[in-house]
Tab-separated table of all heavy atoms in Angstrom:
chain	number	residue	atom	x	y	z
M	146	PHE	N	86.042	88.291	89.068
M	146	PHE	CA	86.407	87.550	90.275
M	146	PHE	C	85.707	88.155	91.475
M	146	PHE	O	85.204	87.412	92.342
M	146	PHE	CB	87.988	87.631	90.446
M	146	PHE	CG	88.436	87.188	91.821
M	146	PHE	CD1	88.367	85.831	92.192
M	146	PHE	CD2	88.884	88.082	92.746
M	146	PHE	CE1	88.846	85.415	93.447
M	146	PHE	CE2	89.351	87.722	94.013
M	146	PHE	CZ	89.289	86.359	94.326
M	147	GLU	N	85.685	89.447	91.589
M	147	GLU	CA	85.066	90.099	92.745
M	147	GLU	C	83.529	89.953	92.806
M	147	GLU	O	82.967	89.731	93.870
M	147	GLU	CB	85.481	91.575	92.787
M	147	GLU	CG	86.924	91.743	93.063
M	147	GLU	CD	87.491	93.088	92.556
M	147	GLU	OE1	86.769	93.864	91.974
M	147	GLU	OE2	88.691	93.295	92.731
M	148	GLU	N	82.927	89.972	91.627
M	148	GLU	CA	81.474	89.728	91.627
M	148	GLU	C	81.187	88.304	92.092
M	148	GLU	O	80.214	88.026	92.821
M	148	GLU	CB	80.909	89.964	90.183
M	148	GLU	CG	80.676	91.356	89.863
M	148	GLU	CD	79.603	92.030	90.671
M	148	GLU	OE1	78.597	91.386	91.036
M	148	GLU	OE2	79.762	93.244	90.987
M	149	ASP	N	82.005	87.351	91.603
M	149	ASP	CA	81.820	85.952	92.040
M	149	ASP	C	82.067	85.791	93.543
M	149	ASP	O	81.297	85.140	94.215
M	149	ASP	CB	82.819	85.036	91.220
M	149	ASP	CG	82.583	83.589	91.508
M	149	ASP	OD1	81.448	83.126	91.398
M	149	ASP	OD2	83.515	82.895	91.846
M	150	LEU	N	83.053	86.486	94.053
M	150	LEU	CA	83.378	86.450	95.423
M	150	LEU	C	82.200	86.937	96.313
M	150	LEU	O	81.903	86.295	97.350
M	150	LEU	CB	84.633	87.319	95.725
M	150	LEU	CG	85.015	87.502	97.227
M	150	LEU	CD1	85.577	86.224	97.754
M	150	LEU	CD2	86.047	88.599	97.323
M	151	LEU	N	81.517	87.955	95.851
M	151	LEU	CA	80.415	88.518	96.648
M	151	LEU	C	79.038	88.040	96.243
M	151	LEU	O	78.006	88.580	96.696
M	151	LEU	CB	80.483	90.042	96.543
M	151	LEU	CG	81.741	90.699	97.105
M	151	LEU	CD1	81.768	92.190	96.855
M	151	LEU	CD2	81.888	90.396	98.586
M	152	GLN	N	78.962	87.008	95.392
M	152	GLN	CA	77.681	86.575	94.889
M	152	GLN	C	76.658	86.125	95.952
M	152	GLN	O	75.488	86.225	95.747
M	152	GLN	CB	77.890	85.467	93.868
M	152	GLN	CG	78.355	84.153	94.479
M	152	GLN	CD	78.535	83.024	93.439
M	152	GLN	OE1	77.843	83.008	92.474
M	152	GLN	NE2	79.526	82.207	93.660
M	153	ASP	N	77.127	85.688	97.100
M	153	ASP	CA	76.231	85.198	98.138
M	153	ASP	C	75.723	86.311	99.026
M	153	ASP	O	74.939	86.065	99.930
M	153	ASP	CB	76.915	84.122	99.010
M	153	ASP	CG	77.239	82.882	98.137
M	153	ASP	OD1	76.492	82.565	97.178
M	153	ASP	OD2	78.210	82.180	98.483
M	154	LEU	N	76.149	87.536	98.779
M	154	LEU	CA	75.744	88.712	99.594
M	154	LEU	C	74.742	89.537	98.827
M	154	LEU	O	75.004	89.906	97.685
M	154	LEU	CB	76.935	89.526	100.018
M	154	LEU	CG	78.060	88.853	100.832
M	154	LEU	CD1	79.150	89.864	101.160
M	154	LEU	CD2	77.467	88.280	102.140
M	155	ALA	N	73.664	89.856	99.452
M	155	ALA	CA	72.654	90.742	98.828
M	155	ALA	C	73.277	92.164	98.843
M	155	ALA	O	74.214	92.470	99.516
M	155	ALA	CB	71.348	90.705	99.623
M	156	GLY	N	72.585	93.046	98.082
M	156	GLY	CA	73.087	94.427	97.942
M	156	GLY	C	73.263	95.132	99.274
M	156	GLY	O	74.247	95.794	99.507
M	157	ASP	N	72.273	94.948	100.164
M	157	ASP	CA	72.383	95.633	101.483
M	157	ASP	C	73.488	95.001	102.313
M	157	ASP	O	74.128	95.711	103.086
M	157	ASP	CB	71.044	95.604	102.196
M	157	ASP	CG	70.493	94.202	102.473
M	157	ASP	OD1	70.864	93.289	101.758
M	157	ASP	OD2	69.706	94.099	103.409
M	158	GLU	N	73.752	93.707	102.163
M	158	GLU	CA	74.794	93.093	102.897
M	158	GLU	C	76.166	93.577	102.379
M	158	GLU	O	77.093	93.793	103.162
M	158	GLU	CB	74.720	91.546	102.789
M	158	GLU	CG	73.562	90.954	103.521
M	158	GLU	CD	73.420	89.471	103.243
M	158	GLU	OE1	73.494	89.042	102.034
M	158	GLU	OE2	73.251	88.718	104.214
M	159	ARG	N	76.299	93.726	101.067
M	159	ARG	CA	77.522	94.282	100.425
M	159	ARG	C	77.796	95.651	100.976
M	159	ARG	O	78.894	96.030	101.328
M	159	ARG	CB	77.421	94.256	98.946
M	159	ARG	CG	77.413	92.939	98.299
M	159	ARG	CD	77.309	93.044	96.794
M	159	ARG	NE	77.223	91.723	96.160
M	159	ARG	CZ	77.395	91.483	94.880
M	159	ARG	NH1	77.658	92.531	94.086
M	159	ARG	NH2	77.316	90.294	94.409
M	160	ALA	N	76.739	96.484	101.020
M	160	ALA	CA	76.844	97.862	101.480
M	160	ALA	C	77.304	97.837	102.963
M	160	ALA	O	78.203	98.628	103.317
M	160	ALA	CB	75.568	98.678	101.324
M	161	LEU	N	76.688	97.034	103.777
M	161	LEU	CA	77.085	96.950	105.186
M	161	LEU	C	78.513	96.474	105.350
M	161	LEU	O	79.230	97.088	106.130
M	161	LEU	CB	76.082	96.061	105.970
M	161	LEU	CG	76.385	95.827	107.460
M	161	LEU	CD1	76.406	97.159	108.192
M	161	LEU	CD2	75.425	94.827	108.055
M	162	LEU	N	78.854	95.435	104.663
M	162	LEU	CA	80.244	94.940	104.758
M	162	LEU	C	81.223	95.985	104.298
M	162	LEU	O	82.269	96.207	104.991
M	162	LEU	CB	80.412	93.673	103.872
M	162	LEU	CG	81.776	93.040	103.891
M	162	LEU	CD1	82.191	92.610	105.275
M	162	LEU	CD2	81.815	91.803	102.919
M	163	GLY	N	80.934	96.706	103.248
M	163	GLY	CA	81.800	97.777	102.792
M	163	GLY	C	81.951	98.860	103.851
M	163	GLY	O	83.080	99.336	104.098
M	164	ASP	N	80.837	99.218	104.478
M	164	ASP	CA	80.882	100.237	105.568
M	164	ASP	C	81.706	99.758	106.740
M	164	ASP	O	82.495	100.507	107.289
M	164	ASP	CB	79.473	100.649	106.009
M	164	ASP	CG	78.718	101.418	104.938
M	164	ASP	OD1	79.345	101.948	104.021
M	164	ASP	OD2	77.444	101.452	105.084
M	165	LEU	N	81.495	98.525	107.133
M	165	LEU	CA	82.197	97.972	108.291
M	165	LEU	C	83.724	97.884	108.033
M	165	LEU	O	84.534	98.269	108.875
M	165	LEU	CB	81.667	96.610	108.675
M	165	LEU	CG	80.213	96.541	109.226
M	165	LEU	CD1	79.736	95.127	109.380
M	165	LEU	CD2	80.093	97.361	110.507
M	166	LEU	N	84.092	97.390	106.848
M	166	LEU	CA	85.493	97.287	106.520
M	166	LEU	C	86.149	98.666	106.383
M	166	LEU	O	87.319	98.863	106.788
M	166	LEU	CB	85.677	96.502	105.184
M	166	LEU	CG	85.360	95.023	105.322
M	166	LEU	CD1	85.389	94.349	103.954
M	166	LEU	CD2	86.248	94.298	106.296
M	167	THR	N	85.410	99.624	105.883
M	167	THR	CA	85.881	101.016	105.799
M	167	THR	C	86.170	101.569	107.213
M	167	THR	O	87.165	102.290	107.415
M	167	THR	CB	84.940	101.903	105.014
M	167	THR	OG1	84.779	101.375	103.709
M	167	THR	CG2	85.419	103.334	104.919
Side-chain angles (χ1 to χ4, degrees):
F146 168 72
E147 292 158 359
E148 281 294 325
D149 186 52
L150 175 69
L151 297 174
Q152 69 181 327
D153 296 330
L154 300 180
D157 59 336
E158 291 174 314
R159 290 179 184 196
L161 177 60
L162 180 60
D164 290 343
L165 294 172
L166 291 173
T167 300

